[in-house]
DNA sequence: GACATCACG
DNA sequence: GACGTACGTGATGTCC
């Protein structure tokens, strides 16, 4: 078939696929010989997905995968340094390059590369040819260099975000249309590809200039007219360099001797070619999936004799496909007995609950699913109501064909509580709390979400959808397809039982499969100890804390709300008066207009949406010149306190318990910290007097007291330990004021003569170091000139050379291995650490911070895990954790005993796994409310 | 749903 | 020499 009108050509940027696949997957190797094949596996998956996704109305008629030819291109003849900044490809990726070509051909897709040309040039050439022939083109890539090709039937598709990029998308990115993209790129340059461009000019400025003068040649010809002296000089002096840059970025759309378009026609893969290739790679599950799709028998891939393997793809046994139609609906006690017997026989069972709410404290149990083997799963409905989504009011009557909740729980309880049967769940804390409310204590447990967290923190989130997609290549039935969204959403008890069976049992099936995949991984990744000592045992502790809840006094909050509302109304009137007009004070956009246009203040910066930005520090500066900004700041503070705290907290008081029950997300922070949600009780105000009063509403019941115990300077102590800073360790051992001690050492001031200002600066630097300090950041924080801030930092590193060394070592380790570690072995992955551009700075600082923040998080986790045993027998309940602080409720008479017991656990929490060279010190407070206790 | 803002350690 | 810059979170309101 010749290429012409009505044809649709897909051009896949092969190199982008390879790199994405490489970074997305753990380093898999071929089981039989250890050949690295992770990128090939990911590449095949993506290619297959691409082919499958493209079926339908908009299907391509022609497809090609375009690769870069290794080696130099014609651009290096123009400019020898072109792409000279590129690091070499990772060692274990190099042997995979030719395999991805083989894979492409095995899929029966045209595989194109050409010596002396980059993939982009070939893509440009084909795009032009296809356009001229009257066809359409989709370029599967997000590379901005390709944006110059968009238009006239050519579009890009960002496969990652599944977003199409047309002319508008290009304008959004470059501020000009596709035909002027090269002009903008020529001016802005590109640090990744080492295109020089015009120094000092970025994309924004470049677009501005091009839009004003029409095109680059006109701009350069009329450069004399430009008002800004710097820009004018650069454009005149660097004109040749800019023209050369344009030649570098302009794609060559006339690559000679390419395969003709006709040769790219899409053909079905030949099973006789493709399957043997996949078999040779030992991709078992992918072979199976593809064989199923092609409707042929999947090849038998023999297991190699050696058991050593690190490829889950290869290691996965031949699993039955996930098929929701095969799950069993359990509606007789005999059937239920059969399932409990199966669980007992195997010694493990995956469990999942379906309920009416995400709030475990209020959710009603609707059904329970179990899985004992991959593909063998059931659902036990107990609380489904009659009448489906169409029934406006539904019915409170139970649907037919369900066992009673009580009899089901009675039958399951012996299994769920049996120490010899492992209960496997995805986010088991949720299900355990549901069961706990029905008097069932689920134990022992394993949790696939936590396994994923121990294995892959920093790489991706740990929700079931993500895990299923990544590790089982399967997209579970979306809950939205059952419940709908928004206002019309129904609760799970309104879902027809037959649909619920498929969804719920599939979740248990997936959980079981994930568990089988993760279990051996833990050991290989050497995170078994992390999982067993820092993750798994924390689940019951957090569940208990959440169920305990904290008493919050509604009247106190309500009174404060009213007072805030009154003050806000007064401020609002004053603000409108000062502005000379009425506007929404809560709208930064409207406020920006008033400040920077109507009132004419200087220094208004616009954000990415083109609106003025009005954060607190900007308003603080303006407050010296005008009354309005200060009033807005006051209004904002009150607005925050009212909406986020005094109002929202009241809504979170549980009607049954009269207390507020937060949820901790154990996998919420990459570093090992917890996150608190619904409501977040880890950000209750404390820094301002007015805010702190909110804490007065967190109270102890009659006859009890709130205790707060917090680690003093735990992160700095950890820094002193890991970086081996002897003088700082000594200061901690001697119980000195650490910031004053730092100041004394840095500025050669005796402790006795320390001024608050000097101490404040040292404190800012101490914190800055933990965050991966920069001169700019410190300067902004201390509001001092950048040079001065940099001088402080230099001085600090001079005094504490161990810190510089620690930073370099940590970043080096991250670059080599892709992760950093806490003292307790927790891994935090840093996939961006070898990236180029602004990402790199963030990744670098995060890598420096993660072991410190993470070690502190590990220590308090250890304390929390040991706490129940330590306070056993005392009238004490652990209620809350705020990163370095634990809050307890205790009988008045037992305060001293409780503090002693808790402090001992917290101060000794690192032992015996890690011997710290600095003491851990815990401060304690008590009172009738949290404000007093803190 | 993205963005800006601000609460905490 | 410029770039863009402290680390980790969650909740709220506005605006499209």
């Amino acid at each position: 078939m010749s290429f012409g009108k009505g044809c649709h050509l897909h051009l896949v940027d092969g190199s982008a696929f390879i790199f994405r696949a490489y970074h997305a997957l753990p380093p898999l190797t071929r089981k039989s010989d250890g050949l690295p094949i992770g990128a090939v596996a990911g590449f095949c998956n993506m290619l297959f997905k691409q082919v499958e996704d493209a079926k339908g109305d908009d299907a391509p008629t022609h497809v090609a995968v375009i690769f870069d030819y290794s080696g130099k291109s014609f651009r290096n003849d123009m400019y020898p340094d072109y792409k000279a900044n590129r690091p070499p490809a990772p060692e274990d990726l190099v042997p995979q390059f030719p395999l991805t070509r083989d894979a492409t051909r095995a899929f029966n897709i045209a595989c194109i590369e050409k010596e002396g040309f980059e993939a982009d040039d070939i893509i440009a050439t084909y795009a032009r040819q296809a356009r001229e022939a009257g066809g359409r083109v989709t370029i599967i890539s997000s590379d901005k260099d390709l944006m110059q090709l968009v238009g006239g039937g050519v579009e890009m598709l960002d496969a990652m975000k599944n977003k199409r990029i047309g002319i508008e998308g290009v304008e959004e990115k470059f501020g000009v249309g596709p035909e002027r993209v090269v002009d903008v790129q020529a001016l802005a340059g590109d640090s990744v590809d080492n295109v020089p461009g015009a120094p000092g000019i970025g994309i924004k400025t470049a677009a501005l200039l091009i839009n004003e003068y029409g095109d680059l040649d006109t701009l350069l010809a009329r450069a004399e007219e430009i008002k800004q002296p710097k820009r004018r000089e650069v454009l005149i002096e660097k004109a040749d360099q800019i023209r050369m840059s344009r030649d570098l970025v302009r794609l060559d759309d006339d690559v000679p001797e390419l395969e003709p378009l006709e040769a790219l026609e899409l053909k079905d893969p030949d099973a006789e070619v493709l399957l043997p290739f996949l078999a040779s790679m030992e991709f078992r599950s992918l072979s199976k999936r593809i064989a199923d799709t092609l409707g042929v028998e999947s090849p038998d891939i023999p297991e190699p004799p050696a058991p050593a393997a690190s490829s889950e793809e290869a290691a996965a046994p031949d699993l039955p496909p996930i098929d929701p139609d095969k799950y069993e609906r359990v509606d007789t006690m005999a059937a239920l007995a059969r399932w409990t017997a199966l669980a007992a026989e195997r010694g493990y069972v995956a469990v999942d609950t379906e309920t009416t709410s995400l709030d475990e404290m209020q959710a009603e149990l609707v059904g329970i699913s179990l899985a004992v083997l991959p593909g063998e799963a059931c659902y036990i409905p107990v609380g489904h109501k009659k009448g489906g989504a169409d029934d406006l009011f539904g019915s409170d009557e139970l649907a037919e064909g369900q066992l009673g909740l009580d009899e089901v729980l009675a039958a399951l309880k012996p299994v769920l509580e049996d120490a010899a049967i492992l209960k496997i769940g995805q986010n088991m804390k949720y299900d355990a709390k549901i069961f706990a409310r029905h008097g069932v204590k689920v134990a022992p447990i394993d949790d696939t979400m936590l396994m994923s967290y121990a294995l892959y923190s920093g790489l991706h989130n740990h929700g079931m959808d993500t895990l299923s997609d990544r590790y089982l290549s399967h997209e579970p039935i979306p809950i939205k397809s059952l419940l709908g969204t928004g206002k019309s959403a129904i609760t799970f008890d309104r879902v027809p039982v037959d649909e619920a069976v498929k969804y719920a049992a599939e979740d248990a099936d997936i959980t079981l499969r994930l568990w089988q995949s993760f279990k051996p991984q833990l050991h290989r990744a050497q995170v078994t100890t992390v999982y067993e000592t820092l993750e798994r045992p924390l689940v019951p502790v957090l569940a208990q804390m959440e169920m305990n809840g904290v008493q919050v006094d509604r009247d106190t909050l309500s009174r404060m709300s009213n007072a805030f509302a009154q003050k806000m109304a007064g401020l609002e009137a004053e603000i409108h008066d000062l502005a000379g007009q009425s506007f929404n004070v809560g709208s930064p956009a409207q406020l920006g207009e008033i400040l920077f246009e109507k009132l004419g203040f200087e220094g208004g910066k616009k954000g990415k949406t083109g609106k003025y930005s009005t954060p607190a520090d900007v308003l603080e500066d303006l407050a010296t010149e005008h009354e309005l900004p200060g009033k807005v700041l006051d209004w904002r503070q009150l607005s925050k306190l009212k909406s986020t705290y005094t109002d929202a907290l009241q809504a979170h008081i549980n009607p049954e318990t009269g207390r507020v029950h937060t949820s901790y997300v154990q996998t919420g922070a990459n570093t090992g910290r917890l996150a608190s949600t619904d409501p977040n009780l880890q950000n209750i105000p404390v820094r301002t007097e007015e805010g702190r009063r909110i804490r007065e509403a967190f109270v102890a019941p009659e006859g009890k007291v709130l205790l707060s115990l917090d680690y003093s300077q735990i992160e700095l102590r950890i820094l002193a330990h890991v970086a081996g800073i002897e003088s700082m360790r000594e200061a901690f051992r001697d119980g000195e004021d650490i910031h004053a001690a730092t100041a004394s050492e840095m500025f050669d001031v005796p402790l006795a003569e320390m001024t608050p200002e000097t101490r404040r600066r040292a404190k800012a630097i101490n914190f800055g170091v933990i965050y991966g300090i920069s001169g700019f950041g410190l300067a902004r924080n201390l509001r001092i000139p950048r040079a001065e801030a940099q001088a402080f930092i230099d001085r600090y590193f001079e005094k504490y050379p161990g810190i510089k060394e620690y930073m370099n070592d940590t970043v080096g380790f991250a670059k080599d291995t892709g992760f950093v570690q806490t003292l307790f072995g927790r891994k935090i992955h840093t996939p961006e650490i070898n990236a180029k551009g602004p990402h790199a700075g963030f990744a670098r600082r995060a890598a420096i911070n993660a072991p410190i923040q993470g070690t502190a998080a590990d220590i308090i986790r250890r304390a929390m895990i040991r706490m129940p045993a330590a306070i056993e027998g005392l009238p004490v309940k652990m209620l809350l954790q705020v990163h370095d602080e634990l809050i307890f409720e205790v009988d008045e008479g037992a305060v001293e005993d409780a503090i002693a017991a808790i402090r001992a656990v917290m101060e000794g929490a690192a032992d015996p796994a890690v011997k710290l060279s600095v003491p851990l010190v815990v401060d304690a407070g008590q009172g009738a409310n949290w404000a007093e206790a803190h």
Side-chain angles (χ1 to χ4, degrees):
Chain A
M1 167 177 162
S2 69
F3 192 94
K5 225 173 162 54
C7 288
H8 184 183
L9 170 63
H10 270 200
L11 294 167
V12 177
D13 183 350
S15 303
F17 260 42
I18 297 173
F19 278 93
R20 199 182 302 149
Y22 177 76
H23 290 294
L25 288 174
L28 313 177
T29 54
R30 184 158 68 186
K31 208 169 176 183
S32 57
D33 62 358
L35 178 76
I37 40 109
V40 184
F43 183 89
C44 289
N45 261 310
M46 289 161 73
L47 208 54
F48 181 57
K49 189 164 189 296
Q50 171 64 32
V51 172
E52 288 299 299
D53 286 358
K55 289 178 179 168
D57 302 344
D58 203 26
T61 55
H62 296 66
V63 178
V65 181
I66 320 290
F67 292 96
D68 287 310
Y69 193 88
S70 50
K72 310 266 173 196
S73 73
F74 68 90
R75 289 184 179 80
N76 291 98
D77 299 334
M78 284 171 11
Y79 184 59
D81 287 345
Y82 178 67
K83 293 203 173 175
N85 287 346
R86 285 275 172 96
E91 224 171 280
D92 60 331
L93 179 56
V94 174
Q96 303 189 63
F97 286 129
L99 294 174
T100 54
R101 271 73 165 176
D102 295 345
T104 308
R105 284 185 282 264
F107 273 92
N108 212 2
I109 293 173
C111 170
I112 311 285
E113 58 191 313
K114 191 151 184 70
E115 185 173 2
F117 294 92
E118 294 184 53
D120 290 358
D121 298 312
I122 301 173
I123 291 173
T125 303
Y126 276 131
R128 177 186 55 79
Q129 292 177 359
R131 209 178 52 225
E132 287 171 0
R136 285 181 52 216
V137 181
T138 300
I139 300 168
I140 291 103
S141 173
S142 52
D143 187 343
K144 61 184 181 347
D145 295 339
L146 291 165
M147 289 192 176
Q148 58 185 275
L149 304 175
V150 168
V154 180
E155 280 191 321
M156 288 173 67
L157 174 68
D158 183 340
M160 205 63 168
K161 299 178 183 153
N162 201 15
K163 190 175 127 192
R164 294 195 84 86
I165 300 165
I167 292 179
E168 282 168 13
V170 175
E171 286 171 345
E172 204 174 298
K173 173 86 188 164
F174 282 103
V176 296
E179 66 286 355
R180 294 272 81 87
V181 162
V182 288
D183 291 356
V184 168
Q185 286 188 293
L187 286 166
D190 185 332
S191 57
V192 178
D193 291 348
N194 216 20
V195 174
I201 292 182
I203 287 185
K204 288 262 165 71
T205 313
L208 206 74
L209 290 167
I210 294 298
N211 281 325
E212 188 171 343
Y213 289 87
D215 61 46
L216 184 62
D217 290 320
T218 313
L219 170 68
L220 292 177
R222 292 169 54 193
E224 299 282 354
E225 301 169 21
I226 293 173
K227 293 198 189 79
Q228 296 89 338
K230 269 201 179 153
R231 280 185 201 167
R232 184 175 59 233
E233 279 165 32
V234 162
L235 290 177
I236 294 171
E237 281 175 19
K238 303 284 181 182
D240 287 343
Q241 179 177 312
I242 294 167
R243 287 199 186 88
M244 192 265 304
S245 295
R246 179 171 57 180
D247 291 339
L248 282 178
V249 298
R250 182 188 282 142
L251 298 180
D252 180 354
D253 68 0
D254 202 14
V255 176
E257 295 164 29
L258 287 178
E259 297 271 326
L261 281 175
E262 290 74 33
L264 311 184
E265 186 177 347
L266 179 60
K267 290 165 286 195
D268 283 331
D270 181 349
E272 309 244 325
V273 176
L274 179 53
L275 292 175
F277 171 79
L278 296 172
S280 74
M281 291 289 111
E282 300 172 17
F283 298 154
R284 285 182 176 73
S285 61
L286 185 64
S287 299
K288 175 116 186 64
R289 269 169 51 220
I290 290 177
D292 286 349
T293 310
L294 297 180
V296 299
E297 190 118 341
S298 63
D300 187 29
I301 303 171
E303 289 280 334
S310 63
S311 153
E312 73 217 59
E313 186 81 27
D318 228 346
L319 298 180
I322 297 173
D323 182 356
D325 290 329
K326 297 209 169 136
Y327 300 131
E328 179 180 334
R329 167 179 177 167
V330 172
D331 50 11
T332 67
M333 288 310 282
L336 182 54
R338 197 158 42 73
W339 282 95
T340 54
L342 280 172
E345 192 181 308
R346 297 214 66 82
Y348 57 80
V349 58
V351 182
D352 187 31
T353 56
E354 303 303 333
T355 66
T356 53
S357 164
L358 284 175
D359 176 358
E360 315 91 311
M361 294 298 294
Q362 305 200 36
E364 297 291 331
L365 193 50
V366 177
I368 299 158
S369 46
L370 306 174
V372 291
L373 275 176
E376 280 187 35
C378 71
Y379 179 62
I380 314 154
V382 292
H384 287 263
K385 302 275 167 58
K386 266 189 183 164
D390 326 320
D391 190 342
L392 189 55
F393 298 103
S395 156
D396 281 343
E397 257 178 89
L398 286 173
E400 274 147 42
Q402 302 185 86
L403 293 169
L405 175 60
D406 291 340
E407 52 183 347
V408 168
L409 284 173
L412 286 177
K413 185 173 160 104
V415 172
L416 295 174
E417 297 189 345
D418 188 337
I421 304 174
L422 181 68
K423 273 66 65 176
I424 302 156
Q426 163 74 11
N427 190 15
M428 257 310 222
K429 175 158 67 69
Y430 181 90
D431 308 276
K433 282 171 73 177
I434 298 289
F435 282 120
R437 282 180 44 219
H438 291 92
V440 177
K441 289 181 190 163
V442 183
I445 60 128
D446 246 345
D447 192 324
T448 47
M449 184 176 82
L450 303 183
M451 289 178 160
S452 171
Y453 186 55
L455 286 165
Y456 306 120
S457 184
L459 290 182
H460 51 70
N461 68 39
H462 312 283
M464 182 149 74
D465 290 355
T466 302
L467 301 183
S468 179
D469 185 42
R470 286 184 88 100
Y471 300 105
L472 305 177
S473 303
H474 172 79
E475 196 179 314
I477 301 168
I479 186 71
K480 281 179 187 167
S481 71
L482 275 62
L483 303 184
T485 54
K487 267 173 87 175
S488 57
I490 56 170
T491 47
F492 204 87
D493 54 341
R494 302 280 169 200
V495 173
V497 176
D498 289 341
E499 278 184 57
V501 170
K502 294 179 194 164
Y503 169 85
E506 184 190 62
D507 275 6
D509 187 10
I510 288 171
T511 303
L512 188 76
R513 289 169 195 249
L514 288 172
W515 178 76
Q516 291 189 334
S517 162
F518 290 164
K519 192 84 183 155
Q521 294 294 327
L522 288 174
H523 193 65
R524 290 183 204 134
Q526 300 189 301
V527 289
T528 305
T529 306
V530 170
Y531 174 72
E532 293 291 344
T533 64
L534 296 172
E535 303 298 341
R536 197 158 76 123
L538 191 59
V539 173
V541 178
L542 292 179
Q544 187 60 56
M545 291 169 72
E546 294 173 12
M547 290 191 285
N548 287 343
V550 58
Q551 184 156 319
V552 172
D553 187 66
R554 185 187 294 276
D555 289 346
T556 306
L557 291 177
S558 169
R559 271 199 305 277
M560 294 176 85
S561 264
N562 292 335
F564 290 152
Q566 280 199 1
K567 275 199 189 174
M568 283 169 70
L571 281 169
E572 197 169 323
E574 291 180 56
I575 290 165
H576 289 168
D577 222 34
L578 287 163
Q581 71 176 78
S582 155
F583 69 101
N584 186 344
V585 184
S587 163
Q590 293 180 30
L591 175 67
E593 297 269 313
I594 301 268
L595 285 171
F596 300 112
E597 286 181 9
K598 185 160 182 186
L599 299 179
F601 282 111
E602 298 288 316
K605 286 209 185 77
K606 292 191 178 179
K608 53 179 93 171
T609 45
K611 305 258 169 49
Y612 287 109
S613 165
T614 62
D617 54 343
V618 170
L619 296 187
E620 273 163 35
D621 288 340
L622 296 181
T624 56
E625 301 175 42
H626 196 279
E627 268 192 85
L628 188 141
K631 303 257 185 221
V632 171
L633 283 170
D634 291 344
W635 183 92
R636 277 191 188 167
Q637 197 199 1
L638 294 173
S639 163
K640 183 82 174 184
L641 293 176
K642 183 172 185 304
S643 67
T644 310
Y645 300 104
T646 57
D647 289 351
L649 274 175
Q650 292 185 61
H652 277 288
I653 297 176
N654 184 298
E656 267 177 59
T657 65
R659 295 167 70 102
V660 172
H661 305 265
T662 184
S663 287
Y664 289 103
V665 189
Q666 207 174 321
T667 57
N670 289 339
T671 52
R673 274 194 179 179
L674 303 177
S676 160
T677 65
D678 306 301
N680 181 355
L681 295 186
Q682 291 182 321
N683 71 347
I684 304 302
V686 69
R687 291 175 187 171
T688 65
E689 179 56 39
E690 288 203 291
R692 193 156 47 235
R693 299 209 45 200
I694 308 248
R695 295 188 171 216
E696 293 173 8
F698 289 75
V699 296
E702 194 62 34
K704 294 182 192 285
V705 173
L706 285 187
L707 295 184
S708 160
L709 289 94
D710 69 289
Y711 284 107
S712 163
Q713 305 291 0
I714 187 166
E715 292 192 357
L716 264 185
R717 286 170 199 264
I718 291 165
L719 177 70
H721 172 84
V722 298
I725 314 161
E726 197 44 48
S727 61
M728 205 181 264
R729 290 175 178 176
E730 263 180 44
F732 277 125
R733 280 184 217 129
D734 297 343
E736 285 175 24
D737 172 343
I738 191 63
H739 301 310
T742 304
S744 167
E745 180 140 351
M746 271 186 68
F747 304 112
D748 288 323
V749 184
L751 275 178
E753 293 167 31
M754 188 60 51
T755 63
E757 178 56 23
T758 309
R759 181 182 180 280
R760 188 177 79 90
R761 293 184 168 197
K763 183 177 174 181
I765 300 174
N766 274 335
F767 276 110
V769 165
I770 292 173
Y771 298 149
I773 200 158
S774 73
F776 181 93
L778 183 67
R780 198 174 56 174
N781 186 287
L782 285 175
R783 297 178 176 238
I784 57 175
R786 193 169 159 179
E788 204 177 323
Q790 191 56 53
F792 286 168
I793 294 172
D794 294 344
R795 179 103 180 125
Y796 189 94
F797 285 146
E798 215 174 280
K799 288 286 177 185
Y800 303 118
I803 294 192
K804 187 87 193 167
E805 208 178 308
Y806 160 78
M807 290 178 149
N808 290 338
D809 289 353
T810 305
V811 172
F813 183 87
K815 285 186 170 170
D816 289 347
T817 64
F819 61 86
V820 292
Q821 274 182 302
T822 67
L823 288 182
F824 298 90
R826 176 187 301 284
K827 287 184 179 176
I828 297 118
H829 294 267
T830 57
E832 303 269 86
I833 195 83
N834 287 316
K836 291 276 170 189
H839 293 316
F842 284 106
R844 205 187 95 85
R845 293 189 294 271
I848 290 169
N849 174 259
I852 300 171
Q853 188 183 115
T855 298
D858 290 347
I859 287 174
I860 198 166
R861 278 175 178 237
R862 290 167 66 89
M864 293 168 72
I865 289 164
R866 292 175 187 178
M867 201 60 73
I871 59 179
E872 169 117 63
L874 289 171
V876 185
K877 281 180 178 166
M878 182 157 61
L879 308 186
L880 302 174
Q881 188 250 42
V882 192
H883 309 309
D884 63 357
E885 174 187 14
L886 294 171
I887 316 290
F888 299 82
E889 192 176 273
V890 54
D891 282 4
E892 270 169 359
V895 168
E896 296 310 319
D897 288 352
I899 290 179
I902 296 163
R903 176 177 272 144
V905 171
M906 290 176 73
E907 292 188 342
D911 305 324
V914 170
K915 181 84 196 103
L916 289 177
S917 53
V918 287
L920 291 178
V921 170
V922 169
D923 297 324
Q926 55 172 301
N929 60 57
W930 195 0
E932 286 178 20
H934 187 73

